Amino acid sequence: MRQLGELEAKIMHRLWAWGRPATARDVLTDINKQRPLAYSTVKTVADILHHKGMLKRRKEGRAWVYEPTCTRQQYTAALMQQALGGNPDPAGTLVSFVEQMTPDEADALRSALRAVKRRSEA
């Protein structure tokens, strides 16, 4: 899995935040609140995301309706796994990562590790 480009990320973040399928027109309307883009640009990038496997789509009338194939958390975890897997020193990478965490992020990591440990003991 590769990191998303700027417009790809804008589209995915909206779909993840909305938690519902949407058309390219829906996404365009929201993006245009911040900067003007052409419909064809958003439609093309949504189609690219579909072909990359990030979005699934179905036809409703004349429009395609798009929906993420993974959650934001799953996508982020895949990027993290890729970074660790391609590194000859994953422990060192994790130490550097943890050193850069905020206290809230460190608390979230501890909570996640406890949850995984509980599941493995069950």
Side-chain angles (χ1 to χ4, degrees):
M1 182 150 316
R2 67 170 192 74
Q3 186 140 357
L4 298 170
E6 181 185 353
L7 187 52
E8 290 174 329
K10 287 181 183 299
I11 291 170
M12 293 303 298
H13 291 305
R14 279 167 175 77
L15 291 171
W16 282 323
W18 293 342
R20 62 170 173 78
T23 65
R25 177 80 54 204
D26 296 331
V27 174
L28 174 70
T29 300
D30 197 54
I31 289 175
N32 277 341
K33 293 175 186 174
Q34 297 170 339
R35 71 173 195 173
L37 279 177
Y39 170 78
S40 59
T41 302
V42 174
K43 176 76 172 80
T44 297
V45 174
D47 287 341
I48 289 168
L49 287 166
H50 168 72
H51 291 293
K52 289 180 178 179
M54 293 291 299
L55 294 177
K56 56 185 172 182
R57 69 181 184 187
R58 69 177 186 283
K59 199 82 156 164
E60 279 190 13
R62 292 179 46 205
W64 288 108
V65 177
Y66 296 92
E67 187 173 1
T69 58
C70 65
T71 66
R72 182 190 316 251
Q73 295 79 3
Q74 290 167 330
Y75 170 73
T76 303
L79 289 177
M80 293 168 69
Q81 185 62 45
Q82 184 177 355
L84 287 174
N87 191 304
D89 182 16
T93 301
L94 286 169
V95 167
S96 294
F97 180 70
V98 170
E99 287 174 342
Q100 296 176 43
M101 287 181 159
T102 66
D104 286 345
E105 291 167 340
D107 287 344
L109 177 58
R110 280 190 285 278
S111 176
L113 290 170
R114 281 192 301 272
V116 168
K117 184 177 179 183
R118 281 193 301 271
R119 270 191 252 146
S120 68
E121 293 173 348

